[in-house]
Amino acid sequence: TWLEHEGAPDIVHVSNAFLMGLAGKLRRDLGCRILCSLQDEAGWVDGMRAEYQERVWNMMAETAQHVDAFIGVSDWYANLMSKKLRIPADRLHTIYPGVPIPQLASVGEPPGLAIGYLSRLSDSLGLGCIVEAFLQLKTDPKHSELKLYAAGGMTQDDEGDVAAALTKIEKAGVASDVTLLRKFDPAARGSFLSKLSVLSVPVPGGEAFGMYIPEAWSYGIPVVQPAVGAFVELLGKFGGGDLYSPDDTGALAAALDSLLSQPERRATLG
């Protein structure tokens, strides 16, 4: 009612596809254009039991008819959702998200080599994978001083993943070289990122975008990501890191080793 009588918008932006149920009424009552962003909805629907997946996708495809334009966060994800929601090509666009450029006095190498992980502390987003790769690297004497910093917060459901990671780290005798920040204040991002030589969030199956990638780039830090999802598109278009064969912890360790061993190439990619 407020939108109709006071706001009188020309456009209403629906922030994700799960809110498209509002689109028909908004368009009908307000007579305005409706835009909808597309960002990682597929993982939630495809995580449902099979009988619900089809029903939900069909319902979402029906409500998508009331949306004038869709904004994907990557071409890869926009194309994926266009098939699931039956979106015509002329209603589909890509706009990459961005981050503010930090005001840095200088961007240079941290005092020692360090790998960073910036996402929820969950195996579903690659925590277990980055820990395994780090432990492989630590068996090489040249990486005896290598550090791992992991941040991004956690939920109660992630406690088991974090506990398992810490157990492996302690058994390997490298606990002093690992920092897992369970609570992560966004204001601490700069301090965290400035410690890193390279960042990797090895999400199984990839993501629609991955905001941690431009966050790392804004600090001059290259990334190492699995060759899947939007990561192939982002690194293919903009450089800034290396890809490795997905679902292969050994390949991740090798890609990290290669980049950690080449300071000039790290600087160029960063």
Side-chain angles (χ1 to χ4, degrees):
T1 300
W2 185 89
L3 284 171
E4 185 175 6
H5 297 290
E6 302 291 338
D10 299 300
I11 294 173
V12 172
H13 172 220
V14 178
S15 61
N16 67 76
F18 291 135
L19 298 177
M20 286 194 304
L22 299 167
K25 180 172 177 58
L26 288 169
R27 195 183 194 196
R28 190 167 53 249
D29 291 359
L30 305 179
C32 67
R33 302 285 184 103
I34 308 294
L35 285 93
C36 178
S37 289
L38 302 172
Q39 43 190 342
D40 279 322
E41 299 90 346
W44 295 93
V45 180
D46 290 342
M48 297 178 182
R49 293 204 300 269
E51 65 267 28
Y52 291 116
Q53 289 180 34
E54 184 176 2
R55 288 170 61 185
V56 171
W57 282 126
N58 284 336
M59 289 175 69
M60 290 175 71
E62 289 176 12
T63 61
Q65 298 175 27
H66 301 293
V67 176
D68 295 282
F70 289 89
I71 310 297
V73 292
S74 64
D75 290 339
W76 174 82
Y77 192 67
N79 291 332
L80 174 71
M81 291 295 281
S82 73
K83 296 171 185 173
K84 291 181 177 293
L85 299 181
R86 302 189 282 277
I87 302 170
D90 62 351
R91 285 197 283 148
L92 192 62
H93 313 272
T94 295
I95 301 176
Y96 295 114
V99 296
I101 299 296
Q103 298 298 312
L104 302 174
S106 64
V107 176
E109 280 286 300
L113 293 178
I115 298 168
Y117 168 98
L118 180 58
S119 193
R120 211 178 86 228
L121 300 177
S122 169
D123 287 351
S124 66
L125 294 170
L127 175 65
C129 188
I130 196 68
V131 167
E132 288 285 353
F134 175 75
L135 294 179
Q136 287 184 31
L137 290 171
K138 291 294 284 182
T139 62
D140 189 330
K142 74 178 180 181
H143 291 306
S144 61
E145 302 298 319
L146 181 65
K147 308 290 185 185
L148 173 64
Y149 296 97
M154 58 183 289
T155 69
Q156 189 173 0
D157 290 342
D158 304 323
E159 289 178 357
D161 294 343
V162 172
L166 289 173
T167 298
K168 289 180 181 178
I169 290 163
E170 289 167 4
K171 283 184 176 180
V174 296
S176 62
D177 293 324
V178 179
T179 302
L180 262 63
L181 301 174
R182 295 167 182 263
K183 293 182 179 179
F184 188 61
D185 180 353
R189 259 177 163 74
S191 174
F192 169 81
L193 288 164
S194 64
K195 294 182 175 74
L196 308 183
S197 309
V198 60
L199 182 133
S200 180
V201 182
V203 185
E207 287 198 88
F209 185 74
M211 285 299 292
Y212 39 79
I213 293 178
E215 284 193 77
W217 287 344
S218 74
Y219 279 79
I221 301 164
V223 299
V224 172
Q225 292 299 115
V228 68
F231 303 144
V232 178
E233 175 184 341
L234 292 175
L235 270 66
K237 281 192 174 185
F238 306 117
D242 289 335
L243 297 167
Y244 69 93
S245 178
D247 303 319
D248 187 341
T249 305
L252 170 57
L256 289 167
D257 178 49
S258 175
L259 208 47
L260 290 168
S261 302
Q262 300 179 73
E264 290 184 3
R265 186 162 181 271
R266 275 203 314 279
T268 299
L269 291 174

